[in-house]
Amino acid sequence: MAESNPTQVILTDDGIKIIQAQQKAQSALTLANGKNKAYTSTSAPTSSSGYVSGDLWYVLISGIVTDMYYFDGAKWQSYLQDAATLNVGKLSALSANLGNVTAGVLHGVDIYGSSFYAGNVSTDANNTNKVYPFHISSDGTAVATAFNTMDAMQSAMIPGGLTLKYRAISSSSAQYEAYDVTLDANQLVLSSGYTAGKDTTFSQSVSGTQLTGQVIVSPLNGINLWGATQSVHFSGLQINGTGITFNSYGNLIGDPSATWWRIVSNSGSDVANFGIDSAGSNVIQFNRELDIGNFQINPGHTVTSADGDGIHFAKGKGGAVDIYAGAVNYTSLVKSSLLSVKKDVKKADTAYWSQLVNSIELATYQYKTDDNTSHLRLSSIVDDVNATKQWQLPDVFISRDENGKLNGVDDSVLLNATLATVQEQQKQISALNGHLLELEAKLNG
């Protein structure tokens, strides 16, 4: 009769000692009851005649037991060693085909294999490839995939990179919304577009004619925008429609409620203010010298000629134009900051001044002398009306006259305190850049 073909178990020297001990015990039992015998050969038993229930058969090849059988009275049955009675000291002493392991917990072990699967295969109809929720392949790629009634999503971590994919499940046309994100060692690429038909296997690439927009961030080439809808939007601390947008063509566009776009120097002072309000009430202001060809206009109320020749005001059709002006005076705007005129000079605590600047309460308002066409004003408030001050402004920024009466804000102190705030923020930016470099180093392995 045909014999069963059980899983092979290879025992080490310790295992053979166990079998030998069992053989000695069985021999003792045979001698005692006179019924059973133990047999050895290089192949499995093929006959069932001449044996009694309880007889043992060992397949022994080159001193290694490869199979064990017992006779149940009718045929030979596989005789397997129970794991609870197998004591080999180390699992490395056991070489076996474990088959499907469906239960149990592994603690403190190293696992080596070709593939790893987690979760159950989704029964969603869109899972046409019958992929698992999570899979690690032998090349080190880890892929997570999910499906629902609206979309399909997949993320893959590969050696040296990361990819994220989104695919729409439904569409009113042949174009299905799709997004790809790729993070490589030297760039981050965000792509938007569509796939030609439902792409539940993530096999189509959002590129070529199927690409509608792309943002590339690279330490080598900076930030690149592609696509008519791509833009960089700035809106301060609140999304209130007062920011600006740089579109993919490099144009600057103000939000519906925006009033100014400013260029500020590294010392915190305005270089240029561009009025961008839709009403056109705010002008364009340049706060340092403006050179137009040979004509120079500077903030010191001075108009000069670069080559030293005369300045001519002419009519558009030729000839000189009349100029009407009141008294014209020149006053230097230089503020003395010489060390020789100062005392008790100490290095400023930028964190302290930054805290003071951040405690200032700003207000929008109009002066009582303004008319209905005056634009909205914004600044701190020196409260000279209420005994209990309603507006927060540290005393160090307040200017007083010779009698100690409040008369406004000391812009000189405020400007330098703002500079201290910028320096403090630069420290934070440098720290964040350091963390970013650390993260890039970890990603680059």
Side-chain angles (χ1 to χ4, degrees):
M1 61 183 292
E3 303 297 339
S4 60
N5 184 21
T7 301
Q8 290 188 352
V9 178
I10 301 174
L11 296 177
T12 61
D13 291 341
D14 290 338
I16 294 175
K17 291 178 181 178
I18 294 173
I19 299 301
Q20 291 173 344
Q22 290 176 332
Q23 288 177 331
K24 291 179 180 179
Q26 185 60 45
S27 297
L29 178 61
T30 301
L31 295 174
N33 59 29
K35 295 181 179 180
N36 300 111
K37 295 181 180 181
Y39 303 89
T40 61
S41 69
T42 58
S43 60
T46 58
S47 174
S48 60
S49 62
Y51 305 102
V52 297
S53 178
D55 283 354
L56 300 177
W57 191 294
Y58 297 101
V59 178
L60 189 63
I61 299 176
S62 300
I64 299 176
V65 175
T66 61
D67 285 297
M68 297 184 294
Y69 300 90
Y70 70 93
F71 194 72
D72 65 359
K75 61 181 179 179
W76 290 98
Q77 300 283 2
S78 176
Y79 198 6
L80 300 179
Q81 183 73 27
D82 184 82
T85 64
L86 183 63
N87 183 4
V88 295
K90 294 182 179 180
L91 188 59
S92 60
L94 176 65
S95 176
N97 181 356
L98 299 180
N100 293 325
V101 180
T102 59
V105 179
L106 298 177
H107 291 284
V109 297
D110 294 331
I111 301 176
Y112 299 87
S114 58
S115 294
F116 174 84
Y117 299 88
N120 298 318
V121 175
S122 172
T123 58
D124 191 288
N126 293 300
N127 188 10
T128 55
N129 277 3
K130 304 302 179 184
V131 297
Y132 281 80
F134 185 66
H135 172 222
I136 301 177
S137 59
S138 58
D139 64 358
T141 301
V143 181
T145 310
F147 299 90
N148 57 47
T149 57
M150 297 298 297
D151 42 42
M153 293 160 287
Q154 186 179 85
S155 61
M157 182 177 66
I158 61 177
L162 176 68
T163 62
L164 306 174
K165 295 184 178 182
Y166 169 91
R167 298 293 184 266
I169 295 300
S170 60
S171 175
S172 59
S173 66
Q175 296 181 354
Y176 286 71
E177 187 178 8
Y179 300 95
D180 281 357
V181 177
T182 302
L183 176 60
D184 294 327
N186 64 350
Q187 66 178 9
L188 170 65
V189 181
L190 300 94
S191 303
S192 65
Y194 61 89
T195 58
K198 188 186 298 185
D199 181 30
T200 57
T201 61
F202 305 95
S203 57
Q204 295 190 43
S205 174
V206 182
S207 60
T209 58
Q210 296 177 187
L211 180 68
T212 59
Q214 192 172 71
V215 178
I216 301 176
V217 181
S218 169
L220 301 176
N221 303 312
I223 300 176
N224 290 272
L225 306 181
W226 182 89
T229 62
Q230 305 306 310
S231 62
V232 178
H233 183 239
F234 301 88
S235 191
L237 299 177
Q238 297 179 349
I239 302 176
N240 53 12
T242 59
I244 61 168
T245 297
F246 282 103
N247 65 14
S248 57
Y249 299 99
N251 298 324
L252 187 148
I253 304 171
D255 284 356
S257 299
T259 55
W260 294 96
W261 179 67
R262 306 178 189 275
I263 299 177
V264 182
S265 72
N266 55 12
S267 64
S269 59
D270 289 347
V271 174
N273 299 319
F274 295 85
I276 55 175
D277 58 302
S278 50
S281 302
N282 297 331
V283 300
I284 298 176
Q285 301 172 339
F286 294 95
N287 298 298
R288 61 175 57 180
E289 183 175 293
L290 174 64
D291 292 354
I292 306 174
N294 192 46
F295 196 75
Q296 299 174 329
I297 305 174
N298 65 50
H301 297 196
T302 304
V303 177
T304 61
S305 172
D307 59 9
D309 288 346
I311 298 175
H312 304 270
F313 295 90
K315 294 180 180 180
K317 296 181 180 181
V321 66
D322 295 337
I323 298 176
Y324 298 90
V328 178
N329 301 279
Y330 176 83
T331 303
S332 174
L333 298 178
V334 175
K335 179 176 178 61
S336 177
S337 190
L338 299 175
L339 179 61
S340 59
V341 299
K342 300 176 180 180
K343 65 178 182 178
D344 298 332
V345 178
K346 299 178 181 178
K347 187 175 182 179
D349 183 351
T350 56
Y352 167 78
W353 287 100
S354 176
Q355 181 181 9
L356 290 181
V357 170
N358 288 328
S359 70
I360 297 175
E361 291 180 334
L362 296 176
T364 57
Y365 59 94
Q366 287 187 326
Y367 287 115
K368 294 180 179 180
T369 55
D370 289 343
D371 55 29
N372 294 333
T373 62
S374 299
H375 63 270
L376 188 65
R377 302 178 186 275
L378 170 68
S379 75
S380 57
I381 298 294
V382 178
D383 191 346
D384 61 341
V385 176
N386 302 293
T388 302
K389 306 304 181 185
Q390 297 182 1
W391 296 94
Q392 176 66 31
L393 180 64
D395 187 74
V396 69
F397 299 126
I398 299 176
S399 175
R400 290 175 169 82
D401 61 15
E402 63 274 17
N403 297 318
K405 183 179 179 180
L406 300 176
N407 63 358
V409 177
D410 190 335
D411 288 330
S412 176
V413 178
L414 180 58
L415 176 61
N416 286 284
T418 304
L419 175 59
T421 303
V422 172
Q423 293 177 345
E424 194 67 17
Q425 291 175 343
Q426 187 59 47
K427 295 177 184 177
Q428 298 175 4
I429 292 172
S430 297
L432 291 175
N433 286 336
H435 294 318
L436 179 58
L437 291 175
E438 292 177 1
L439 291 175
E440 289 180 347
K442 292 180 179 178
L443 288 175
N444 293 335

Coordinates of all heavy atoms in Angstrom, one line a residue, residues 223 225 230-234 244-248:
I223 N 13.2 75.7 -6.4 CA 11.8 75.4 -6.5 C 11.4 75.8 -8.0 O 11.6 76.9 -8.4 CB 11.0 76.2 -5.5 CG1 11.4 75.8 -4.1 CG2 9.5 75.9 -5.7 CD1 10.6 76.6 -3.0
L225 N 8.1 75.6 -10.7 CA 6.6 75.4 -10.9 C 6.3 75.2 -12.3 O 6.8 75.9 -13.2 CB 5.8 76.6 -10.3 CG 6.1 77.0 -8.9 CD1 5.2 78.2 -8.5 CD2 5.8 75.9 -7.9
Q230 N -0.3 76.5 -11.0 CA 0.7 76.5 -10.0 C 1.1 77.9 -9.5 O 1.2 78.8 -10.3 CB 2.0 75.7 -10.4 CG 1.7 74.3 -11.0 CD 1.0 73.5 -10.0 OE1 1.3 73.4 -8.8 NE2 -0.1 72.9 -10.5
S231 N 1.2 78.0 -8.2 CA 1.5 79.3 -7.7 C 2.1 79.2 -6.3 O 1.9 78.1 -5.6 CB 0.3 80.2 -7.6 OG -0.7 79.7 -6.8
V232 N 2.7 80.3 -5.8 CA 3.1 80.4 -4.4 C 2.3 81.5 -3.7 O 2.4 82.6 -4.2 CB 4.6 80.7 -4.3 CG1 5.1 80.8 -2.8 CG2 5.4 79.6 -5.0
H233 N 1.6 81.1 -2.7 CA 0.7 82.1 -2.0 C 1.2 82.4 -0.6 O 1.5 81.6 0.2 CB -0.7 81.6 -2.0 CG -1.7 82.5 -1.4 ND1 -2.4 82.3 -0.2 CD2 -2.0 83.8 -1.8 CE1 -3.2 83.3 0.0 NE2 -3.0 84.2 -0.9
F234 N 1.3 83.7 -0.3 CA 1.7 84.2 1.0 C 0.5 84.9 1.6 O -0.2 85.8 1.0 CB 2.8 85.2 0.9 CG 4.1 84.6 0.3 CD1 4.2 84.7 -1.1 CD2 5.0 84.0 1.1 CE1 5.4 84.1 -1.7 CE2 6.2 83.5 0.5 CZ 6.4 83.6 -0.9
I244 N -0.5 87.8 -1.0 CA -0.2 88.0 -2.4 C 0.1 86.6 -3.0 O 0.4 85.6 -2.2 CB 1.0 88.9 -2.6 CG1 2.3 88.3 -1.9 CG2 0.7 90.3 -2.2 CD1 3.6 89.0 -2.3
T245 N 0.1 86.5 -4.3 CA 0.4 85.2 -5.0 C 1.4 85.4 -6.1 O 1.3 86.4 -6.9 CB -0.9 84.6 -5.6 OG1 -1.8 84.3 -4.5 CG2 -0.6 83.3 -6.3
F246 N 2.4 84.6 -6.1 CA 3.3 84.5 -7.3 C 2.8 83.3 -8.2 O 2.8 82.2 -7.7 CB 4.8 84.2 -6.9 CG 5.5 85.5 -6.4 CD1 5.7 85.6 -5.0 CD2 6.0 86.4 -7.2 CE1 6.3 86.8 -4.5 CE2 6.6 87.5 -6.8 CZ 6.8 87.7 -5.4
N247 N 2.4 83.6 -9.4 CA 1.9 82.5 -10.2 C 3.1 81.9 -10.9 O 4.3 82.3 -10.8 CB 0.9 83.0 -11.2 CG 1.4 84.0 -12.2 OD1 2.6 84.2 -12.4 ND2 0.5 84.7 -12.9
S248 N 2.8 80.9 -11.8 CA 3.9 80.1 -12.4 C 4.7 80.9 -13.4 O 5.7 80.5 -13.9 CB 3.3 78.8 -13.0 OG 2.3 79.2 -14.0

